Amino acid sequence: MIQLIRGFKDILPGEVELWQEIERVARQLFDDFGFKEIRIPIMERTELFKRSIGEDTDIVEKEMYTFPDRKGDLITLRPEATASIVRAYIQHKLFAKDPVQKFFLLGPMFRRERPQKGRYRQFYQIDAEIFGVTSPLVDVQLILMLVTLFDRLQVPDISAHINTLGCPKCRPGFKSALQDMLMSVSDKLCSDCVRRRDRNPLRVLDCKVPACREALEGAPSLLDHLCSECRDDFAEVRNSLDKLKVPYVIDKHLVRGLDYYARTTFEIQTGSLGAQSAVAGGGRYDGLVKELGGPQIPATGFAIGFDRLAEISGLKPSDFERKPDIFVAALGEKSQTLAFEWSCRLGLIGISTEMDFSDKSLKSQMKRADRLGAAYVLILGDKELEEGTAPLRNMATKEQVSLPIDGMVDKIEETLRP
Ligand code: HAM
């Protein structure tokens, strides 16, 4: 038997209802905050991700699904959505009418990481991006939206971690202080970190190898190297979070795994997913639109790991599962023909109806109705056809009413929707 690919998964009925509910709640929140949906391809030119996420990141170095198409052009299954949304924003000149644009996107992403709980090779993100606003208040709004969404989805045990990565003005000073420190612990670092130390030292802070993490405990903090604008900017973020009563922790190690960030970065972390503590991450990327060929327009955003969110939400799929409104237990050919006609007509008016097509016994049909959780069962056999009425049983109260076969669909509608 052919099995699915390692690190990929099916989301089956019984689980998918929770995904639908999460999607519904997220869409409502985006709508309330003025975000518009954007849909973009799942493949892009490899160059787009290299230039935006950064050549020295784990994603670009090790995790992308990249292959030549038939003409030899290198294409990549998107490992995240931000780069593509920026590409679309520039390509369609979405800034021309109004540079301020807010987008959200739901969809699959692909990273060839080592699969484990909460980490998949095809996973889903709920992504949000805001273009054209310099004020750090929109970063705060994004964090507020995340915390609100997690609250509405009954996610326990989460905390918002925030940090700032400075700007092109203050980061070089920090980088050289960090490089000096990294030189002194070089013998304790993994080979990736030694290589990244010279090219992109911030990436070293993001290394997941335990020995590297230990060696980096005394690393300098960007918070001590901020220029006055970045310091004020970060203070405004904190003040505004305080005002909105959003709890947070300042996490100076939060450098994020992508190169495009500057200033505010944040993650929503959870204690319930083992090693995969980040359920959502994001931050400001003021330089990326220009870097990818557009005008100098600031931007900020986040992405939630949908799979992780579904795993830790306190909501249960069964709370959102649609059960049949009515099961028609039909016995004999004539009854079945009639039941089929009714079930089609009931379906068309939004009354979900199931029936049995194989002429099973009444007992086994009743069992199936019970298993499906049907709210009502209508019994239709030769006797009922002769008498011109059929019993409709409320499965919860066990009450039974007799309905005329003539005009049955209308009668069922009246009974179910008084
Ligand atoms: P990211 O931190 O790489 O950021 O991913 C965001 C979230 O996606 C993570 O916090 C995690 O929940 C989920 N995630 C990442 N990799 C996996 C995986 N292999 N399996 C399951 N879940 C995963 C970004 O992608 C940025 N584009 C976020 C952003 C948007 N920044 C600005 N705008």
Side-chain angles (χ1 to χ4, degrees), residues 86-99 101 295:
V86 173
R87 188 222 13 91
Y89 180 76
I90 300 169
Q91 182 170 346
H92 304 289
K93 297 198 170 50
L94 299 178
F95 47 82
K97 228 161 101 194
D98 182 355
Q101 302 278 344

Side-chain angles (χ1 to χ4, degrees), residues 7 9 53 59 63 79-83 85 109-130 142 150 256-258 260-261 266-268 273 276-285 288 299-309 311:
K9 64 174 181 173
I53 299 169
I59 298 178
E63 296 169 0
E80 58 116 44
T82 311
I85 297 176
M109 311 292 154
F110 304 84
R111 295 184 194 175
R112 203 177 184 291
E113 295 187 78
R114 200 168 53 76
Q116 61 183 67
K117 186 176 160 61
R119 198 205 272 156
Y120 310 99
R121 290 180 171 175
Q122 174 174 336
F123 60 99
Y124 293 77
Q125 282 187 345
I126 302 173
D127 185 278
E129 314 291 351
I130 301 180
L142 290 172
F150 289 125
R256 311 272 302 122
L258 308 97
Y260 47 62
Y261 292 112
F266 49 86
E267 263 179 25
I268 304 294
L273 265 177
Q276 305 311 313
S277 58
V279 218
R284 191 158 268 286
Y285 51 96
L288 188 58
T300 177
F302 67 66
I304 303 169
F306 203 143
D307 314 65
R308 293 183 189 177
L309 176 55
E311 272 165 47

Side-chain angles (χ1 to χ4, degrees), residues 206-415:
D206 193 42
C207 182
K208 289 163 195 120
V209 175
C212 296
R213 286 197 169 260
E214 206 174 299
L216 288 165
E217 249 152 43
S221 164
L222 225 161
L223 297 177
D224 301 324
H225 290 261
L226 296 177
C227 62
S228 60
E229 284 102 327
C230 285
R231 212 174 304 126
D232 292 349
D233 185 275
F234 195 46
E236 195 173 350
V237 169
R238 293 189 323 259
N239 288 339
S240 175
L241 284 171
D242 290 339
K243 267 199 208 131
L244 288 167
K245 299 202 169 17
V246 177
Y248 61 89
V249 283
I250 296 173
D251 181 349
K252 62 176 187 165
H253 294 298
L254 187 71
V255 289
R256 311 272 302 122
L258 308 97
D259 271 356
Y260 47 62
Y261 292 112
R263 293 203 168 158
T264 316
T265 53
F266 49 86
E267 263 179 25
I268 304 294
Q269 300 190 358
T270 167
S272 11
L273 265 177
Q276 305 311 313
S277 58
V279 218
R284 191 158 268 286
Y285 51 96
D286 288 347
L288 188 58
V289 177
K290 181 132 193 246
E291 174 68 33
L292 292 179
Q296 174 50 51
I297 291 178
T300 177
F302 67 66
I304 303 169
F306 203 143
D307 314 65
R308 293 183 189 177
L309 176 55
E311 272 165 47
I312 58 174
S313 162
L315 303 175
K316 288 192 291 301
S318 54
D319 297 341
F320 309 100
E321 195 185 336
R322 173 101 191 247
K323 307 235 165 87
D325 296 310
I326 175 162
F327 186 96
V328 186
L331 301 152
E333 209 183 310
K334 248 176 140 181
S335 298
Q336 283 206 358
T337 310
L338 208 48
F340 176 67
E341 186 199 318
W342 292 346
S343 69
C344 291
R345 286 173 53 202
L346 286 166
L348 291 176
I349 56 168
I351 296 178
S352 143
T353 308
E354 292 294 331
M355 62 175 283
D356 174 72
F357 289 94
S358 54
D359 209 16
K360 294 224 170 69
S361 70
L362 180 62
K363 193 171 159 207
S364 98
Q365 292 198 42
M366 290 304 283
K367 259 196 189 155
R368 178 146 180 261
D370 208 39
R371 211 175 42 241
L372 293 173
Y376 288 85
V377 174
L378 183 78
I379 298 167
L380 188 68
D382 289 343
K383 181 172 145 275
E384 285 75 19
L385 289 178
E386 216 166 275
E387 288 171 0
T389 58
L392 178 74
R393 184 183 300 174
N394 180 323
M395 297 298 275
T397 62
K398 305 289 173 217
E399 274 169 42
Q400 204 158 294
V401 287
S402 187
L403 298 183
I405 287 175
D406 215 19
M408 179 61 89
V409 170
D410 294 341
K411 286 285 173 250
I412 291 176
E413 192 185 10
E414 277 169 30
T415 315

